[in-house]
């Protein structure tokens, strides 16, 4: 069942470069309401747990290192058709392929440091949200 919610992270590269405000503005202007937000720093181990689905991939070690390099902003966002529309808003995983007007086109530096994460399904949105937030922290 569609929940109209998605999970997002502003990644360490974008947070460190001061793009949190700009990214949140793009998210709000696209019609999303913030249901939960926190700044948190992942350990290498926690980053590995979050991205466990990629553990056999060649880039897993780099992914853990990049995602634990500094603070991130964890977000639960709400809007109709949240998951699919957010994937469009952030653009292609590799910013070289991201369309004009997308968050990654504007703020991502590379495939590894691609500014934001967005859930790829309603099921993963719920799982990823509960990785960072208890039910009482989501309004
Ligand atoms: P994200 O959408 O957060 O999901 C997994 C992340 O792995 C992805 O963004 C990229 O930042 C990162 N990544 C690094 N290398 C690759 C790769 N070769 N293919 C896909 N994702 C990669």
């Amino acid at each position: 069942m569609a929940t109209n919610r998605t999970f997002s992270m502003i990644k360490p590269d974008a947070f460190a470069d001061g793009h949190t405000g700009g990214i949140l503005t793009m998210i709000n202007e696209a019609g999303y309401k913030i249901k939960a937000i926190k700044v948190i720093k992942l350990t290498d181990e926690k980053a590995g747990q979050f991205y466990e689905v990629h553990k056999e991939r060649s880039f897993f070690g780099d992914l853990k290192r990049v995602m634990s390099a500094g603070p991130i902003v964890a977000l639960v966002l709400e809007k109709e058709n949240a998951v699919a529309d957010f994937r469009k808003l952030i653009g292609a995983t590799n910013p070289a392929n991201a369309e004009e007007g997308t968050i990654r086109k504007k703020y991502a530096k590379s495939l590894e440091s691609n500014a934001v994460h967005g859930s790829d399904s309603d099921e993963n949105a719920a799982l990823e949200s509960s990785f960072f937030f208890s039910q009482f922290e989501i309004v």
Side-chain angles (χ1 to χ4, degrees), residues 11-71:
K11 297 190 179 187
D13 53 284
F15 183 85
D17 290 343
H19 297 317
T20 297
I23 291 171
L24 289 177
T25 297
M26 286 181 77
I27 289 171
N28 280 145
E29 285 177 350
Y32 286 89
K33 288 190 178 135
I34 295 172
K35 307 300 284 183
I37 183 166
K38 82 169 56 151
V39 178
I40 191 168
K41 189 170 180 299
L42 291 168
T43 60
D44 191 88
E45 187 190 1
K46 281 285 175 197
Q49 285 171 12
F50 183 83
Y51 281 114
E52 206 189 349
V53 64
H54 296 305
K55 70 173 185 285
E56 306 299 336
R57 309 287 289 273
S58 59
F59 58 83
F60 188 58
D62 279 343
L63 180 59
K64 288 190 292 179
R65 182 179 48 75
V66 166
M67 290 306 300
S68 58

Side-chain angles (χ1 to χ4, degrees), residues 9 11 50-51 54 57-60 62-63 66-67 87 90 93-94 104 110-118:
M9 273 189 285
K11 297 190 179 187
F50 183 83
Y51 281 114
H54 296 305
R57 309 287 289 273
S58 59
F59 58 83
F60 188 58
D62 279 343
L63 180 59
V66 166
M67 290 306 300
R87 303 277 289 184
I90 64 179
T93 306
N94 188 339
R104 284 174 172 153
S110 66
L111 176 57
E112 290 76 21
S113 297
N114 62 353
V116 281
H117 166 82

